[in-house]
Amino acid sequence: MTMGSVATTARTGPALVRVGDLAGRPRGLGFAADLDGTLITSHEAVDGLARLVLRWPGGEARVVEAADVTGLPHWDLALIRVQEPPPGAPGLVIAPDRAGPVRLLVGHDWADATLHAPGGPAVYTATDRYHRIEEALELRLAPGATAGLRLDAAHTGGPVVDPISGAALAVLTTALRAPGRPPGFAVPLHTAAAIEGQGPLVELLRRNGTEVPGYGTALNLAGVRTLAADSLAAAGVRATAHDRPELAAELVAFDRGSASVAALVGPPGTGRTTLLAAHAARRPPTVWLSGAALWPDDSGLRDAVGRALARADPDVAARTARAAGHPLLVVLDGPEEMPAELAARLPGWTRATADWLRAAGARLVLACRPEFWEHAGRLHPPGTLYGAPAGTLPAHLPIGDLGPGPASRARAAAGLDAAGLAPGEAAHPLSLRMLARIRAAQPAGAGGAPDRDEIFSAHLDLVALRLAETLAGGAADRHAATRAAARIHQAARRSALTGVLPRRAFDALFPWPGGWARAVLDQGLLRPSGADYRFADEEFADWLHGRHLAMDAALAAAARSGLPRHRAGALTQALLRHGRGRGAAALRGLLPLPAAEEPADRGWWAARLSRQVLPALPDARPLLAELRALADLVGAGTVPAEPFGPDFWRALSVEEDDRIDLLRRLLPADRGTHGPRYLGTVSELLAARPRQAPARLCRWFDDERPLRFAGEGEPPEDVTVASAAQALLHTHRRLAPDELTEALIDAGHPRADELLAELAHDEPAALCRAVERWAQDGRPERRAAAVDHGLRTAGRSPRALTDQDRGLLRYAARALLARPEDAALHPSACALLVQAAPVGEPGEGGKARGESGAGQGKAGVPRREGARYRGAAGPHG
């Protein structure tokens, strides 16, 4: 029902049902009040009838038994339940009563009247008794119409209608009488229901408000839902299936909570719009807005909501929905697309929006990029946001690629196999959607495992081919597809910097005459965006714009704060294309890198572009000098660590030795025990490569920079990069103990000696094997170490060593005694031979029994550091 049809109904009157008896005598009128065809009439129209006949304007009739009539004689009302009403019988919206001009049916014509309120007492005489009605409203008509009412009771039960909205305000009665008052009374329905409190009339009016749309001054929940649904249809929003149960549950929880704003934040291509469209379709009333639907002079969200609701009053709509227990939800998709003039006034717009949401009881859900939300989210008042903060982003709901289960189901639904996709594409919603369409157009058995760049390129080729086929009315050759692709590239070139293709450029490239415009819109390549156009898929648009963006101009605009932050995606793609085509070294001096004490906006661009470009390079080794400088700045705290967390360094395409060195430079920036830490990343690398990593970590022993966090009760300076390396090596000592002891002895560092002493206590078998190896080494310093660590290990309680351990120590002692050039070591070797004697033989006890264990109690010995770091370093404690 449109606003135009409301006006027509008000002028001509609603379709009424005539009530009569079996003999054909008219008894009154009735009107439908819900979708089931339940009729409202006066009690006098049905009083005393065992059966009654109903006739609709189209000529159809129904006989109704008295059992299907609910009498409310104390209000002179009756409700008639019709089992099978004629199809298409419209219901009449019922609005709260008010004084003023009305219309009602008198004879065969609609007459003007005036309804007077508040009501006064009148008496209804039913067949069984009198009923006093305190709230009867007086109707004043022209003299001729009043006479008609007095002479023809067949008009009783008809609606008293608002001439503007067409809504029923009351029910006309002819049997009501009041001393000293002229005939012509009406029973106010909403007033009667409010006094009743509960019962069939209350329930019928509830159904009327949720099922029969009312507009204007009669706006009800059904009307708000219809107008909101029109906004979804106008935006082309369709309920698309999705597999995001966790996020869907979060949106339901937001609906039920006290927060007024929720932001679904994630990179483009992750299905933000799809998820919100599905939520909007099952959650009426929801108004759908895009950022492009906002106007430069909007004071707040309220203005745009009023336009989307066919200019219905947004305050009334929101209050109506809230009063019915279904708060109005506004979805703002892509707020980045708002006009630049409005974006410049975003703080004021946000304050006005927050005030309106609070006053009207409405809710707002946004779907946006992280670049928008990290700024815009901070503008909302405290306590209004739903979700949790993460890094630089205020409270929000994060959305990314699909989880394993949903991704598997999505691939199965699209007929795709994970083996047919490059790593990183098997769970990416946009890649799956595009590749499914590509595979459907290819011959059966088409192979390959395309990456995102290849998928987007194939999608572009397919769209160009489909455009050519549409314009040709059938099959098209390669040249036609090439010409179509050329127009698409030209559109990308003209919109590369701003993301917006002006209408004039659109009309020139894709003229409506000849079918170009309709073809590109039907293919879903471009979509209207306010008065202009944009590419429909944001991530694909970034990729395509990156191929045509003038990087120098874009980087200069970013440096002077003249480029919107949400254009970082297109600039990233341009830099990646440049780096992949010419090598990472070509980005030196072009890619902005973070520096200390930079202006905030320039620092943001440097951090964002570095964060997105460097991990995506197939080979970042040519930029190692820049990466080391960046790591030093982060480690020193002069550049924020947040954009460059462990995932960034883990994703870089560099050698593992270089990665571990970079992590060493970063380690002082570790801030606490919650969230990802660089130390945890080093622990993962050590666990993954236990034979190679120990030697790399031993190079950290000279790095005494303190970490900016400490264990409980310890000052920060007690936890250094060097002590952290000790703790990590101790924690992972059992993964490759022989490689660990060799790395420590090669290091020749006091901290390495301390850790070897600790291993003599914790891993004596590994030390015994090491002593046996070192005793046969050609290097004198190794043989001297064999004596030293052999005595330390043998000095433990004899029962702490196995027979095999003692045998290795004895073998080492004999090997040393057999070397004349080691005469200086022979006394110690003899002592080792005695201490390593089998249990029960001479040599047990003595010093071995009384020694407390070398290495304990030394300053810096990592046993307690190992306990402190064990949770971060891994499970191998």
Side-chain angles (χ1 to χ4, degrees), residues 835-860:
Q835 290 196 38
V839 176
E841 295 186 8
E844 179 182 357
K847 182 179 178 182
R849 186 179 301 275
E851 185 155 320
S852 63
Q856 298 189 45
K858 289 186 178 182

Side-chain angles (χ1 to χ4, degrees), residues 512-533:
W512 290 92
W516 275 100
R518 177 49 52 198
V520 297
L521 295 176
D522 288 347
Q523 282 294 317
L525 176 66
L526 289 136
R527 59 177 172 83
S529 178
D532 302 311
Y533 293 86

Side-chain angles (χ1 to χ4, degrees), residues 396-544:
H396 67 288
L397 297 176
I399 183 171
D401 284 351
L402 299 169
S408 177
R409 292 188 288 272
R411 290 193 300 269
L416 301 174
D417 183 9
L421 292 123
E425 306 308 311
H428 188 61
L430 184 58
S431 295
L432 296 178
R433 174 164 62 84
M434 285 187 171
L435 187 58
R437 189 180 180 195
I438 293 165
R439 292 295 190 223
Q442 291 177 324
D451 61 19
R452 198 163 305 178
D453 189 76
E454 293 167 329
I455 291 172
F456 286 173
S457 182
H459 172 73
L460 176 60
D461 292 342
L462 179 60
V463 169
L465 177 61
R466 293 289 183 255
L467 286 176
E469 291 173 344
T470 300
L471 294 168
D477 59 22
R478 182 185 305 173
H479 296 295
T482 301
R483 290 193 296 270
R487 296 199 184 207
I488 297 172
H489 281 291
Q490 185 67 14
R493 187 174 294 109
R494 295 192 184 186
S495 58
L497 189 62
T498 63
V500 178
L501 182 65
R503 176 175 292 275
R504 180 175 298 178
F506 176 87
D507 291 341
L509 290 170
F510 309 110
W512 290 92
W516 275 100
R518 177 49 52 198
V520 297
L521 295 176
D522 288 347
Q523 282 294 317
L525 176 66
L526 289 136
R527 59 177 172 83
S529 178
D532 302 311
Y533 293 86
R534 291 176 184 266
F535 283 94
D537 293 304
E538 285 185 72
E539 188 182 17
F540 174 74
D542 284 347
W543 174 84
L544 189 56

Side-chain angles (χ1 to χ4, degrees), residues 701-728:
F701 287 159
D702 286 321
D703 193 339
E704 295 294 344
R705 291 177 300 160
L707 274 61
R708 290 201 288 274
F709 82 95
E712 186 176 354
E714 285 189 272
E717 60 271 14
D718 194 45
V719 186
T720 66
V721 174
S723 65
Q726 277 185 309
L728 286 169

